[in-house]
Amino acid sequence: MARTMRNPWVVALLALTALRLAAAVLLPVSPDEAYYWVWGRALAPSYYDHPPMVALWTAAGTALAGDTGLGIRLLGPLGVAAASILLARATEALFPGRSAGPWAAALLNATLLFSAGAVLVTPDTPLLVFWCAALWAVAELYRSGDGRWWLVFGLLAGLALLSKYTALLLGFGVILWLAAEPTMRRWLLRWQLWAGGAIALLCFAPVIWWNSQHAWVSFAKQGGRAGSTSTGSSLRYLGELIGGQAALATPLIFLFCIVGTALACRAWLRQRDAAAGLLVCVTVPSALLFLWQATGSRVQGNWPAILYPSACIAAAAFLGPGWRRWKQAGIAFGAVVTVAVLVQAAFSPIPLPRRNDPTLARLGGWPALAASVEQARRAQGAQFVAAEEYGLASELALHLPPGTPVVALGDRWDLFDLPAPRAGQTGLLIRSGRRSGPPLWPDAQPAGEVVRARDGIEAERYRLHAVRVEGSEPPLAVLPSRR
């Protein structure tokens, strides 16, 4: 192991982590990140959208580094660095003697999905960290034959479940491996496996309890996505899924993952390679599930991120010396693309319009917008600012002065333990010009317009409305402010 984790790899990982921490400082906070920052200021056993791990990460990070981009994202680069080391160790445990560990970690780190997840915090960030760590625990179990590793796996899988519900697919893949691989079936009768499962369930118990107290709303929302259908063409959704993954993984690494997984399938079926079987069972069923989902509805680009840790192990282990230069090229290309995206998001050197620049649409101009809204609020004499969109409301709560209350509208806020504004207060509702229909707030009166822009390029236009708390509005919640 010491030979595979030589200093150049460690130095490269440390340098990459330092760059990611710098990007965490420089990049504007996205609406979803601001929303998870609100979660961290209103901790609960679970939430409408996801389990609570991302809230715990943002709460811990901001406790250490303040209500800043670095604080919100702090645990992401650090966690991904640890996950990279554990993925390399898992690869060496499964395929000793191939020196494939650093390659697996390098390939995964060169994907946009993993690189962006190392900077921009979402539920996928802790999910991928604990997913890699759980793979390491299973690999150590396979290498050592020590059943106590099932207890470690159960803990790490439970923490993955506390991050995102798709972690269930990891448990399914491992159980499938135990059932399908003759050399591993003995574990089905051992107490350590079931004790590990009990630990995972215990970790997940707060989410179950929270859902039982809230009409199972989170399970219904996320579970309802599986197998859902829409009016779009299945070929269109399949094309979006495959093309999107090729872009997010970068084309060469996407190809490596497909070829490596295919070679792992062959090694398992023809050579009865049990380690290859683990990669197949963790990767292929989940990939087929996403492909099936795409026959009826859109699969979001981040959902298949869980496929890449095991697929990168397969690529590193089964693509031999003849692929070395191609792997080097894929890693270099992924690094260049990642740096280009981060530079564009942080400094916008290329003045692209919104339709051609997703970094402008999601990240651009939030502090300046908050300053414009605060100026309009003072001019109107309003006591608070309100917003219908959860991301917009969260951005305003993060960027407005701490003395300016931000009121969020919508049913989701009923699930938070947050105060409501007092009756009789007047406010200024900010609403995206892209939203159709009248404001959700009754008797809202037009009060002007503001624009969110970056370097003079418009990202979004917002309408302002004067409002008053009367008691007949949709659910209202006063969001936490910066400390």
Side-chain angles (χ1 to χ4, degrees), residues 181-423:
E181 172 53 46
T183 62
M184 301 302 294
R185 286 177 191 157
R186 70 185 188 278
W187 291 113
L188 293 171
L189 301 177
R190 302 289 178 84
W191 70 267
Q192 294 98 327
L193 171 67
W194 301 102
I199 292 172
L201 182 61
L202 185 63
C203 290
F204 192 59
V207 178
I208 300 174
W209 177 84
W210 183 91
N211 271 273
S212 72
Q213 301 301 303
H214 295 88
W216 309 101
V217 61
S218 183
F219 289 169
K221 179 194 175 184
Q222 299 297 348
R225 293 185 175 187
S228 62
T229 59
S230 60
T231 58
S233 164
S234 60
L235 290 178
R236 171 192 169 190
Y237 293 137
L238 281 169
E240 285 182 359
L241 172 61
I242 296 170
Q245 291 308 299
L248 290 170
T250 70
L252 282 175
I253 295 178
F254 184 62
L255 174 64
F256 300 156
C257 288
I258 293 174
V259 175
T261 302
L263 292 174
C265 289
R266 186 177 70 175
W268 188 32
L269 295 175
R270 292 187 179 181
Q271 303 166 20
R272 302 311 306 170
D273 186 335
L278 172 63
L279 302 182
V280 171
C281 290
V282 171
T283 309
V284 174
S286 297
L288 293 175
L289 176 64
F290 293 127
L291 287 170
W292 169 74
Q293 178 74 27
T295 62
S297 63
R298 177 173 288 110
V299 174
Q300 298 299 321
N302 61 302
W303 294 357
I306 56 175
L307 303 176
Y308 291 100
S310 51
C312 286
I313 293 177
F318 290 101
L319 298 183
W323 290 80
R324 182 183 180 89
R325 290 186 178 180
W326 286 104
K327 287 188 287 188
Q328 290 174 334
I331 292 167
F333 180 78
V336 169
V337 171
T338 298
V339 170
V341 170
L342 293 177
V343 168
Q344 179 67 17
F347 304 108
S348 57
I350 304 174
L352 299 173
R354 174 192 167 104
R355 66 179 178 275
N356 297 327
D357 188 354
T359 70
L360 170 62
R362 298 295 293 167
L363 304 178
W366 290 110
L369 173 69
S372 298
V373 170
E374 176 65 7
Q375 184 178 7
R377 181 194 70 83
R378 291 181 177 179
Q380 294 279 342
Q383 294 168 284
F384 62 84
V385 172
E388 298 174 355
E389 300 164 80
Y390 69 84
L392 174 59
S394 301
E395 287 279 7
L396 293 172
L398 180 62
H399 292 295
L400 284 170
T404 301
V406 174
V407 174
L409 286 72
D411 292 337
R412 75 175 60 232
W413 299 107
D414 263 354
L415 304 173
F416 286 77
D417 186 17
L418 292 171
R422 295 193 306 273

Side-chain angles (χ1 to χ4, degrees), residues 14-37:
L14 289 173
L16 184 58
T17 303
L19 287 173
R20 287 168 172 166
L21 289 170
V25 173
L26 295 171
L27 288 181
V29 176
S30 72
D32 283 342
E33 289 180 295
Y35 182 46
Y36 301 134
W37 166 76

